[in-house]
Amino acid sequence: MNHQETLTAYLVAFVAELVQTGITDVVVSPGSRSTPMAMVMAEHPEINIHIHVDERSAAFFALGIAKATNKPVAILCTSGTAAANYFPAIVEARYSRVPLLVLTADRPHELREVGAPQAIDQIHLYGQHVKWFADMALPENSKEMIRYARTVCARAAAIATGAPAGPVHLNFPFREPLIPKLAEESFQLEERAKGYVKVRNGELTIGEDEFKEISLKLNGYKNGMIVCGNIADERFAKAVTDLSAALKFPILADPLSQLRSGKHQLENITEAYDTFLRNEDAKTYLKPDVILRFGAMPVSKALTIFLKENHQAEQLVIDGAGGWRDPASLSTEMIYCNETIFCEQLLAFMEKRESTEFLEKWQGVNNLTKANMALIKDSQKLSEGRLFYQLAEMLPDGATLFVGNSMPIRDLDSFFLNNRKSVKVMANRGANGIDGTVSTALGAALYSQPLYLVLGDLTFFHDLNGLVAAKLYDIDIRIIVVNNNGGGIFSFLPQSQHPKNFELLFGTPLNLEFEHAVRMFNGNFTKVKDWEHLVELMNQSTTVNGLHVYEVVTNRDSNLTEHREFWQIVSLEISNYVKGTH
């Protein structure tokens, strides 16, 4: 058997097994050394090939698909710096627990470290940011090597999806010639046609005695609270709200917890905490004795500080992926149990309470804070606070909202209130960077519609080339660009107190006209005139398909002033309320 036939048999076995593991979406960036794998994948009838010429955007595009589908996605590129451009998305996947199968083509061993073109050291290229790495054997067509290719594929997919989910890297060395020899029956495997090896991943849980012990502890506390960060499990909302109803503990719901929007119980869900936990009287009034925490760390800095200040409280962190989400070393118990299972099983042992004064305190302060948000809602000028306050009204039921980092995710946290619209909220909060936001949202939009992306001008600029996916695949997406001409978040940070070089180093105004770039990708661009105009555009967006970009121009200084005035007014109201209850 010649080299071409050997190469084909080896890769056909790998790709056929890939499909058996459930991976059917592959994002491919064109290149020479990856030719054999790309051509074999393109021939498989069950693989969806998505071509993206920029490896950095391609990897984020795959990340978005994986986020939307909760399934692993493969990415394929050629050798050299192409593979290095995957790094930011791999880091994000690692810390946000998203499964990716990273496939990099490489020079064969004899061409490494000898000056061959487009050859870099790709061994353990991503270091600790991948869950597993394998430098694949050179293609052979023996039965043993075909079994090897299929086994590694199944193992890699299982590791990527196993808790905690994350990226896995397989490095494929290929010798020339690189063209495979494909036939119609190529994917019909003789041995174990339904998959070579099945890997079963279970869910972490704890024993009945441990549930009883925890329930006895919680039954002894009345001043308790539940903090929920980013969790993708659709079963969790009902489970945790049922537990809250029994315990009568308020739920502090991060916008990425999927708890602020939906058909589940909303009565105990507190969403305005980012505002009122800036007030010292409120923090004293709402002091907890026990805290249950689920999911990723919350977005809110005010909440994070509140958790730190209550280090004397029992803090139970429940993590179904066996991680260690405790940056301030506050936890008294680290419980490795699937979050939904924990709530459901614990509920069976809990004493159901009628009501508690502590829950009523939280509800009172939360309702007072929301009542004062009319200050934001009544703002006539285009402002970032009002934009996020009105999103719950403007978005259609069942929409997906993808939010950029820096100020947008924080304003969402502050002003996006509870609603019944079942809006799914997504963001790249693993490493909290602005890289690849456009591409991730476009990847998610392939499977999650309608999708709206809200991001700042710097974040939009950082991934403008990601818009090519919308053009190539006719992806429907509505993008609201909050353009305050620079890094708005820095105005809220200590750097702003040093004005001498603030604009040069942190404000970084770009003075860009984004319309030209949007038109280049066949998109529709509209500069929003006022709030009525934005509502009109949002109403039209469900009937007109394609790429739509709405630019909302705001002022960084005015935004800072608006936020501070709101916080001051609400803080005074809260202090009067708290003191009046004593």
Side-chain angles (χ1 to χ4, degrees):
M1 182 173 289
N2 63 30
H3 167 77
Q4 190 179 30
E5 292 171 335
T6 296
L7 177 69
T8 304
Y10 182 81
L11 291 181
V12 161
F14 179 86
V15 172
E17 192 70 27
L18 191 70
V19 173
Q20 294 296 335
T21 68
I23 298 178
T24 54
D25 282 290
V26 182
V27 181
V28 177
S29 295
S32 176
R33 191 58 54 166
S34 54
T35 293
M37 180 75 82
M39 290 184 67
V40 170
M41 285 178 164
E43 288 294 322
H44 199 294
E46 296 179 47
I47 285 185
N48 303 313
I49 294 284
H50 312 282
I51 302 297
H52 208 308
V53 297
D54 182 325
E55 286 83 7
R56 187 182 76 162
S57 292
F60 278 107
F61 188 72
L63 183 81
I65 296 174
K67 278 175 172 281
T69 61
N70 289 320
K71 292 173 55 180
V73 176
I75 52 179
L76 171 67
C77 73
T78 190
S79 62
T81 55
N85 281 297
Y86 278 166
F87 214 134
I90 288 171
V91 170
E92 177 62 29
R94 164 70 170 80
Y95 288 102
S96 58
R97 299 179 175 181
V98 176
L100 288 182
L101 186 56
V102 184
L103 310 176
T104 56
D106 200 355
R107 263 41 181 178
H109 300 73
E110 68 270 16
L111 293 182
R112 298 176 182 175
E113 303 296 336
V114 293
Q118 208 169 329
I120 67 171
D121 184 357
Q122 295 178 199
I123 307 303
H124 293 289
L125 178 62
Y126 309 114
Q128 296 295 316
H129 293 98
V130 292
K131 294 180 65 181
W132 184 54
F133 166 77
D135 189 27
M136 298 294 289
L138 282 157
E140 292 183 24
N141 193 26
S142 66
K143 289 184 178 180
E144 290 77 12
M145 291 306 292
I146 294 299
R147 291 168 182 160
Y148 159 80
R150 297 180 66 186
T151 299
V152 171
C153 179
R155 181 181 177 187
I159 293 174
T161 54
V168 167
H169 178 203
L170 302 181
N171 191 56
F172 285 83
F174 296 131
R175 289 195 179 106
E176 295 180 348
L178 300 170
I179 306 300
K181 184 179 180 180
L182 290 164
E184 291 184 5
E185 67 278 9
S186 291
F187 296 100
Q188 300 300 316
L189 296 171
E190 295 180 3
E191 187 177 13
R192 303 184 192 178
K194 298 298 184 181
Y196 193 77
V197 55
K198 187 176 184 66
V199 182
R200 299 185 184 273
N201 281 321
E203 293 179 324
L204 283 176
T205 187
I206 57 177
E208 183 176 309
D209 289 343
E210 291 173 297
F211 279 117
K212 289 180 179 178
E213 182 182 337
I214 295 168
S215 68
L216 286 173
K217 176 181 290 187
L218 294 180
N219 283 331
Y221 290 110
K222 291 185 178 180
N223 296 350
M225 54 185 264
I226 300 171
V227 178
C228 295
N230 187 3
I231 289 185
D233 188 350
E234 294 180 355
R235 306 167 300 167
F236 179 70
K238 182 181 186 307
V240 75
T241 51
D242 286 349
L243 180 63
S244 168
L247 288 168
K248 293 297 184 288
F249 287 0
I251 299 175
L252 280 66
D254 184 90
L256 299 176
S257 67
Q258 315 308 327
L259 293 175
R260 295 191 188 182
S261 183
K263 306 301 189 286
H264 51 271
Q265 300 177 62
L266 296 175
E267 291 78 9
N268 293 351
I269 293 179
T270 300
E271 76 274 47
Y273 55 80
D274 185 65
T275 296
F276 64 72
L277 288 182
R278 300 171 188 269
N279 176 277
E280 294 301 323
D281 291 326
K283 290 196 286 186
T284 301
Y285 182 63
L286 302 172
K287 195 176 185 67
D289 295 323
V290 65
I291 301 168
L292 298 178
R293 192 162 65 74
F294 300 89
M297 290 300 297
V299 169
S300 172
K301 186 175 182 179
L303 175 53
T304 300
I305 292 173
F306 183 69
L307 294 175
K308 290 180 181 178
E309 291 173 343
N310 284 281
H311 56 83
Q312 85 295 334
E314 290 258 14
Q315 297 203 26
L316 285 65
V317 178
I318 299 89
D319 190 343
W324 199 271
R325 287 167 159 170
D326 186 21
S329 300
L330 299 171
S331 59
T332 52
E333 291 192 37
M334 191 67 67
I335 302 171
Y336 290 153
C337 178
N338 174 272
E339 293 85 355
T340 300
I341 291 174
F342 179 86
C343 294
E344 292 174 343
Q345 294 296 317
L346 187 63
L347 186 61
F349 299 102
M350 296 306 308
E351 297 176 359
K352 292 182 174 60
R353 298 166 178 157
E354 292 302 318
S355 63
T356 67
E357 181 183 355
F358 191 68
L359 174 60
E360 292 169 0
K361 286 181 176 181
W362 277 87
Q363 290 173 329
V365 174
N366 191 60
N367 291 334
L368 175 65
T369 303
K370 291 196 292 184
N372 278 277
M373 284 190 181
L375 296 167
I376 296 294
K377 183 179 180 181
D378 294 340
S379 174
Q380 294 304 305
K381 60 186 177 182
L382 293 173
S383 68
E384 297 166 34
R386 178 170 173 177
L387 170 64
F388 286 92
Y389 181 87
Q390 287 200 205
L391 275 176
E393 298 177 14
M394 293 189 292
L395 292 172
D397 191 15
T400 295
L401 174 63
F402 203 106
V403 184
N405 283 319
S406 296
M407 278 308 297
I409 190 69
R410 287 168 173 82
D411 280 330
L412 182 82
D413 193 13
S414 296
F415 303 114
F416 186 74
L417 304 181
N418 293 347
N419 62 87
R420 291 289 183 185
K421 286 190 173 181
S422 298
V423 174
K424 183 178 182 180
V425 183
M426 301 172 69
N428 283 345
R429 292 299 291 176
N432 300 358
I434 65 172
D435 338 34
T437 303
V438 173
S439 295
T440 312
L442 282 166
L446 277 180
Y447 291 98
S448 191
Q449 283 289 335
L451 189 139
Y452 296 79
L453 169 62
V454 184
L455 75 176
D457 54 299
L458 291 186
T459 305
F460 189 51
F461 164 75
H462 207 272
D463 193 25
L464 273 178
N465 55 345
L467 291 173
V468 72
K471 178 177 183 291
L472 292 176
Y473 299 107
D474 296 321
I475 299 173
D476 295 337
I477 188 169
R478 288 83 186 168
I479 302 176
I480 299 176
V481 180
V482 181
N483 191 349
N484 55 29
N485 199 23
I489 192 171
F490 291 107
S491 299
F492 292 79
L493 301 179
Q495 295 93 313
S496 62
Q497 303 304 311
H498 302 272
K500 181 179 179 182
N501 292 309
F502 179 77
E503 283 295 289
L504 172 68
L505 298 175
F506 305 106
T508 57
L510 299 180
N511 299 304
L512 293 177
E513 294 293 336
F514 289 115
E515 180 175 3
H516 306 300
V518 174
R519 301 290 185 200
M520 180 172 69
F521 296 110
N522 293 347
N524 301 292
F525 179 90
T526 306
K527 184 166 288 190
V528 177
K529 301 173 186 175
D530 50 37
W531 292 114
E532 291 74 19
H533 188 206
L534 179 60
V535 171
E536 179 185 345
L537 291 169
M538 293 287 282
N539 288 335
Q540 292 175 352
S541 68
T542 56
T543 60
V544 182
N545 296 332
L547 167 63
H548 297 270
V549 177
Y550 312 134
E551 183 182 57
V552 177
V553 177
T554 63
N555 180 278
R556 276 187 275 135
D557 293 335
S558 298
N559 183 52
L560 177 64
T561 300
E562 180 183 68
H563 279 70
R564 286 182 173 170
E565 288 179 350
F566 170 69
W567 289 331
Q568 289 171 0
I569 292 172
V570 174
S571 183
L572 179 61
E573 291 281 342
I574 290 171
S575 291
N576 291 335
Y577 172 81
V578 169
K579 292 172 182 176
T581 62
H582 291 319

